[in-house]
Structure formats: C-alpha cells, structure tokens
C-alpha cells in the first residue's frame, strides 16, 4: 500500500516524516477510567511505502462496554493478551515516528494511560490528527467522520469500528489529505506531545463537588455554613485525610489554595509564612486553628443548594430564539480595553434563513482577506459576513475569493493562490458586490449560524446528549504561541476549585466534563459534556491568551466554531478580530439561563495577561 500514490512526500521536507497510523477500540470514552480493547498500527516511510503492521485484541480485565458498537464481547477478549504484554512491541512501532490517528488526542490519551499502567515510557513526541488536517483543508463533506471522509476520498470501508480496517481506511484518507494539503500549501498541524507520558503519570481522583453555594466568610466567632470554601495548611494533629473527609461530609468545600473567595484557612501556625498563610493575611481571610475547626464541624449550619441546571427539552429543528444573554462576568482585577468592550453588547441570536443561500449576494462565498491594516482587514471581514458570506482566516479548499489590501501581494500564500487560479479582487469589490457566480460549489454541510460579537443561540437537545465542542483557530504564527483555556464557573462567577480551570498543563476538569483538546499550532478546542457538569456549574467561560510579546492586533482574526461533536458540522461560527492591544481575549461562553443552555460569542479583550483573568475568576496563581 502506498501512502502517497499521487504525492512523493520524500521530496517535500515539510511533509517527509516516518508515520505510525493507529486506531484503538475502547471500553468507553474516558481514558483515565476505560481500557483499550483492540489496537492496530501501520507504519510508513516518507516515500509512502508501508514498513510494518501489527494488530491484536486485548484483554482489559474489565467490562468491555458498548458491545453494540465495537462487537468485542468478554468471551472474544478472554484469551487475548493484556496491554502490558504487547506494550513493548507497540512502543517499537511508535518509536521515532509521528503518530497519526483520526481524533488523535483520544487515541494518544488512551495510549498514555495504558503505558503508564504498565510503567513504561510512551515513545511519542509528535502526533497528527486527520480531523484537524481536514479542518484546515475543508473538503466539501457533510461532516468529518471517518466514513464521510472515506466516501469523499474514494476509500473503501468494509468494517466500521474494527481497528485494523479503520487503520487501513485511515491510511487512504491520510494519503489524500496530504495530497490536498500540499496542493493548498497548508502546514501540517503537528502537535508536540505533552510531558505526561512519564511512567508515573496518573491523574488525581475526581474531587467530590460541593452541593452548596459559597456563603462567604464566617462572622467573628460565628458558625461555619455549608458551602464555605476551606483551605488547610501546616501540620495538624488529626490526619489531613480525616480532616478533609469530615469537612466534606459536613458540606464544606475543601480548596487546595487560598484566594479572596476563601471562607477560612485552618492552620495551627498562622505566622508560619507558608504561601497559603501569607495569601490569607493579604486577603483578610478568617484564620482558625485545628481545635476550633473540629468544634465548628459539629455544628455546621445548613447552606443554600446550587440551583438545578437541568435544561428543558427543545426540539432539534426549532429555530434558535432571539434572546438576551446573561450579563458578562464582573471581574474586578482585569481591565478590558475600550476598543474591545465597545462592541460587546447584548446582540440577539441570528435566525436561520428559510434558504441557506437566499437574497444576500455572498451566500456561498468564503472570502480570504490579505494585507491592509488591522482595522481595514477587520472591517472587510465584517462586510463579508454582512453580505451573507463567511470570512476565512486560512487558505483552504473552501475559499472562493481573495480580497487584497495594500501589502497583501507580499503574503506567502499569494503564490499558491495564483497557482490555484482563485479570483483575486481589490478591496473596493466589497463596496459593490455582485451575486455569487453559478460555479461556486454547493457544499454538502448544513450552513452554520454566523454570529456577531455578543450573538447568542440556544443549544438544542441533540442525540449527542449535550456534548459540545468550541474550537478556536487562527493564522499560523511564528513569534508567539496561543493558549486556549476554560473556566467552569458557579452562580457567583467563580470556580469551585482550582481544578475548574482547564489549560495546557491541566487539560481536564476533575469530573472530566470539560476538556482541552490540542489539535495543532493553529487550533484548540474546549469540549464540554453538559450532562456531566457538577451542580454548581452555571457557565463555562472560554478564553485565549498569547504566550509572547505579540497582541491580538498582531494575530489578526480568531475564528470560533460550535459543533455538537468532535467530527460534526458546525452549528454556529463567529469571527473575532476587533482586538488591538489585548493579550487575553474572552472568546465565548456556554451558560445556563432560565434552565436553558446557551452559547454566546464574546470577543472581549484584556490588555493585561491571563493571570489577571485567572485571579478574577477565583483561581489561585502561585
């Protein structure tokens, strides 16, 4: 099998790698809990020649999970080897190769946990996701599932959810995707794998969520109240585990750090100089000793339970209602810039038109803006959306037109645009638009709602059971990196614990309901399982921060998309590019109001770094 039948990747340095294509079937979706049931690995050289193949069933030592999906019963798996028995052979195939998979973070996470259980090193330093690659290429397909891409690229799929057959299908899709990426000069979305592949890697057990709202600090000499946030520091006569267990049983919320929202710090030495003690003094947090705390535990007053966040049912086909979003969080520390806040008003949701390509002249156009000042490019993208089109931020197969401002002719993509014979227009073209030509291809996917800054849509109840993916993407950068983060917030716009701050070094909330997916240097995703959120969760705020000296004025537009699944078509999208001097940008939020979950495109910038936003939401920053 040739991975590059029409493409000699060995002659293209940016594409010439040794590859290990992989697929796993699992007993569930949570890597820290579930197990791999079967695995297949195919290896290829830069010339596209297959160099190795291995597949096997695995005995997980647990219930195999959804047999109706993968067909792997406990009886079929009973005589198979355990993962640790074949880990060495799998590791040898992955060694010194780029790991490739469809939804690669899923496969990588499961491999990382399996290798950690076997106390072995996972030899993967880079991975590539064919989902992310095809999001950059943007082929005209209904969705980006393996089956849809196989049909589009003409790859025969004979047995879905069979690891070996899926890997062979993946090889065909990858071959065609590489060819299309090379045609468009799209950089490969290679992801450096995080340093959690250490054999000692093991996630902390999930924290039991507190069922009560934080009532604040106790009055002098007064009782503790359920929901109060309690931190403990220093030596105690009672074991730390017992203190925590008794506090949790009493309805208190045990925190790992101290912030201005901490109700009390328990310590036998308030002058110890520990970080928690120093922060408690600085914030005016009540300090009590162990003896007093134990006495107060016996008479904790009832607290106020968190409001139920069970959304009411809404039909799939219902047009999103025009709604007024909840008030954005008030954060005393971060100071948004005037330019960023001016346009962040409560904007009603856009209604889906009767016909996705009606009236407006740019109904099926996707326009790439090159050159000009930041303000000119931003206004041009807004004009494209006003005309009914979509503003592209990267060159892909879906781009229909290019608009040039002064300096745009120097963009590195112009050579490829010329070779592709894409229509190139002067910026005045947007002032007197013509209807889209008849040869603009009709895409198979549903047209997403295009939201302005502040735009809101209701989240319908879908078969995906509340699994939503919010993705942010931007143009390739060379002088900085961009990190997407999320905060799971309660009614008071505060995190319930530091674990509710999801970022690169802590990519999953304690309950697994909110996760960060890194899909490449130009795209990151926050995945939210609404059904698994703790009762305190009222809002998930999603932000981006720049690691480096650049600002979002230098970065340009950031596109956000909302989709009901990892490979599903977008339900909504927005282009955010009004930022200028800001280094932190609040992108979007999923929030509950009147028992209904909603999505809002925000686009509010902050001149200060991420630390100010983090502190504003109650996360302790060392």
């Amino acid at each position: 099998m040739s991975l590059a039948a029409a493409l000699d990747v060995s002659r293209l340095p940016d594409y010439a790698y040794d590859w290990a294509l992989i697929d796993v079937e699992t007993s569930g979706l949570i890597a820290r809990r579930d197990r791999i049931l079967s695995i297949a690995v195919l290896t290829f050289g830069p010339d596209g020649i297959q160099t190795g193949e291995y597949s096997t069933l695995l005995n997980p030592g647990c219930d195999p999970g959804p047999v109706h999906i993968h067909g792997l019963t406990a009886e079929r798996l009973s005589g198979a080897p355990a993962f640790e028995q074949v880990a060495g052979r799998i590791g040898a195939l992955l060694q010194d190769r780029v790991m490739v998979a469809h939804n690669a973070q899923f496969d990588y996470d499961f491999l990382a946990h399996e290798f950690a259980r076997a106390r072995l090193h996972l030899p993967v330093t880079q991975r590539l996701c064919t989902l992310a690659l095809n999001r950059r290429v943007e082929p005209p397909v209904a969705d980006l599932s393996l089956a849809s891409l196989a049909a589009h690229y003409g790859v025969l799929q004979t047995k879905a959810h069979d690891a070996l057959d899926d890997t062979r299908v993946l090889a065909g899709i990858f071959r065609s995707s590489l060819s299309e990426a090379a045609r468009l000069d799209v950089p490969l979305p290679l992801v450096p794998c995080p340093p959690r592949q250490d054999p000692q890697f093991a996630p902390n057990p999930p924290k039991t969520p507190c069922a009560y709202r934080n009532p604040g600090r106790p009055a002098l000499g007064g009782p503790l109240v359920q929901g109060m946030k309690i931190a403990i520091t220093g030596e105690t006569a009672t074991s730390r585990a017992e203190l925590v267990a008794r506090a949790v049983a009493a309805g208190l919320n045990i925190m790992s750090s101290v912030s201005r929202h901490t109700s009390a710090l328990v310590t036998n030495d308030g002058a110890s100089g520990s970080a928690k003690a120093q922060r408690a003094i600085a914030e005016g947090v009540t300090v009590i000793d162990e003896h007093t705390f134990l006495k107060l535990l016996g008479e904790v007053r009832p607290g106020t339970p968190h409001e139920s966040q069970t959304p009411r049912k809404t039909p799939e086909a219902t047009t999103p209602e025009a709604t007024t979003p909840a008030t954005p969080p008030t954060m005393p520390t971060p100071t948004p810039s005037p330019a960023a806040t001016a346009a962040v008003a409560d904007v009603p949701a856009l209604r889906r038109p009767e016909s996705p390509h009606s009236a407006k002249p740019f109904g099926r156009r996707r326009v790439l803006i090159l050159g000009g000042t930041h303000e000119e490019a931003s206004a041009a993208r807004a004009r494209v959306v006003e005309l009914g089109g979509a503003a592209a931020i990267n060159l892909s197969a879906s781009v229909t037109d290019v608009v040039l401002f002064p300096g745009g002719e120097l963009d590195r993509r112009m050579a490829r645009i010329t070779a592709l014979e894409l229509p190139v227009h002067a910026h005045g073209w947007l002032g007197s638009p013509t209807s889209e030509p008849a040869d603009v291809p009709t895409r198979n996917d549903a047209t997403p709602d295009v939201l302005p800054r502040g735009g809101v849509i209701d989240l319908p109840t879908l078969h995906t059971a509340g699994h939503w993916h919010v993705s942010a993407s931007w143009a390739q950068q060379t002088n900085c990196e961009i990190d997407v983060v999320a905060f799971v917030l309660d009614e008071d716009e505060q995190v319930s614990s530091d674990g509710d701050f999801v970022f690169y070094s802590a990519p999953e909330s304690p309950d697994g309901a909110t996760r960060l997916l890194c899909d490449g240097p130009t795209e990151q995703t926050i995945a939210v399982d609404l059904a698994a959120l703790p009762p305190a969760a009222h809002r998930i705020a999603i932000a981006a921060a720049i690691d480096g000296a650049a600002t979002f004025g230098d970065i340009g537009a950031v596109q956000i998309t909302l989709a009901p699944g990892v490979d599903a078509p977008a339900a909504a999208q927005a282009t955010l590019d009004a930022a200028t001097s800001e280094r932190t940008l609040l992108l979007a939020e999923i929030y509950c109001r009147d028992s209904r979950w909603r999505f809002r495109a925000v686009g509010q910038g902050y001149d200060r770094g991420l630390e100010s936003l983090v502190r504003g939401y109650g996360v302790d920053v060392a």
Side-chain angles (χ1 to χ4, degrees), residues 346-586:
D346 291 346
V347 181
L350 300 184
R351 290 184 176 272
R352 193 181 298 276
E354 291 296 323
S355 168
H357 308 303
S358 62
K360 292 188 177 182
F362 277 21
R364 292 199 299 268
R365 292 189 190 273
R366 188 169 177 85
V367 183
L368 179 64
I369 309 295
L370 298 181
T373 65
H374 177 77
E375 291 75 13
E376 288 171 336
S378 176
R381 281 186 281 266
R383 176 61 174 163
V384 169
V385 172
E386 179 187 342
L387 293 171
I393 59 174
N394 286 304
L395 180 62
S396 71
S398 71
V399 171
T400 60
D401 299 87
V402 178
V403 171
L404 276 188
F405 281 85
E409 67 279 359
L410 302 177
D411 191 287
R412 62 176 291 274
R413 292 169 287 187
M414 275 306 301
R416 188 63 54 170
I417 289 168
T418 302
L420 295 172
E421 299 182 344
L422 285 173
V424 178
H425 312 275
H427 57 84
W429 177 67
L430 295 174
S432 54
T434 57
S435 297
E436 61 184 19
D439 60 351
V440 173
T442 300
R443 295 177 62 82
N444 296 325
D445 52 326
T447 304
D449 284 311
V450 179
L451 302 180
R453 296 177 67 216
V456 178
I457 62 169
D458 290 329
L459 299 184
T461 301
L462 299 175
H463 67 280
T464 52
H467 291 268
W468 290 94
H469 285 65
V470 181
S471 298
S473 57
W474 46 85
Q476 189 93 16
Q477 304 297 314
T478 58
N479 62 343
C480 68
E481 293 184 356
I482 300 174
D483 295 315
V484 173
V485 302
F487 305 86
V488 182
L489 305 174
D490 61 16
E491 303 99 324
D492 302 313
E493 302 296 341
Q494 298 294 303
V495 296
S496 294
S497 70
D498 288 351
D500 288 332
F501 172 37
V502 175
F503 61 108
Y504 181 77
S505 296
E508 184 175 320
S509 61
D511 49 31
T514 306
R515 295 178 296 129
L516 169 65
L517 310 177
C518 296
D519 302 314
T522 64
E523 178 182 5
Q524 292 178 32
T525 298
I526 297 295
V528 179
D529 181 358
L530 296 179
L533 287 171
H538 278 237
R539 185 188 306 269
I540 298 91
I542 300 166
I546 296 174
D547 184 7
T551 68
F552 277 102
D554 302 318
I555 301 301
V558 177
Q559 180 174 288
I560 57 172
T561 58
L562 171 74
V566 66
D567 55 8
Q573 67 180 45
T575 301
L576 308 175
D577 61 355
T580 53
S581 62
E582 300 86 353
R583 299 183 59 243
T584 302
L585 189 64
L586 194 59

Side-chain angles (χ1 to χ4, degrees), residues 16-224:
Y17 291 90
D18 287 292
W19 310 99
L21 280 64
I22 194 166
D23 184 73
V24 299
E25 298 299 322
T26 64
S27 63
L29 302 177
I30 301 177
R32 69 169 185 267
R33 179 195 68 194
D34 301 315
R35 304 298 300 271
I36 297 178
L37 307 179
S38 67
I39 186 168
V41 184
L42 302 180
T43 61
F44 296 85
D47 56 2
I49 302 301
Q50 182 173 332
T51 57
E53 176 180 317
Y54 177 68
S55 65
T56 184
L57 299 178
L58 295 167
N59 187 344
C62 65
D63 185 277
V67 174
H68 65 285
I69 295 178
H70 51 61
L72 300 174
T73 63
E75 291 74 22
R76 283 190 64 191
L77 300 173
S78 61
F83 186 89
E84 56 265 26
Q85 293 176 284
V86 299
R89 184 168 182 181
I90 294 169
L93 292 170
L94 297 173
Q95 184 75 43
D96 299 325
R97 293 183 172 93
V98 176
M99 191 194 97
V100 180
H102 201 61
N103 190 15
Q105 181 149 359
F106 178 88
D107 298 74
Y108 176 80
D109 285 347
F110 269 88
L111 283 172
H113 281 81
E114 292 288 8
F115 271 82
R117 292 185 187 103
R119 296 196 174 278
L120 293 172
H121 173 74
L122 173 59
V124 174
T125 57
Q126 286 191 106
R127 66 175 186 263
L128 186 146
C129 178
T130 49
L131 266 174
L133 180 59
N134 278 278
R135 278 195 290 265
R136 293 293 306 274
V137 169
E138 291 192 306
V141 292
D143 57 54
L144 295 178
S145 66
L146 201 69
S148 293
L149 291 174
H152 171 70
Y153 289 125
V155 180
L156 179 64
Q157 186 176 28
T158 60
K159 192 175 181 182
H161 297 293
D162 175 85
L164 183 56
D165 187 68
D166 281 352
T167 307
R168 289 170 175 163
V169 171
L170 176 66
I173 291 172
F174 186 45
R175 175 195 63 213
S176 298
S177 303
L178 272 183
S179 179
E180 187 68 356
R183 186 180 74 87
L184 296 166
D185 196 22
V186 170
L188 295 182
L190 296 169
V191 177
C193 293
R196 55 179 223 170
Q197 53 193 359
D198 187 278
Q200 301 303 315
F201 165 72
N204 293 323
K207 173 188 173 182
T208 302
C210 184
Y212 304 94
R213 296 186 64 170
N214 181 11
R217 294 172 185 168
L220 183 64
L224 298 177

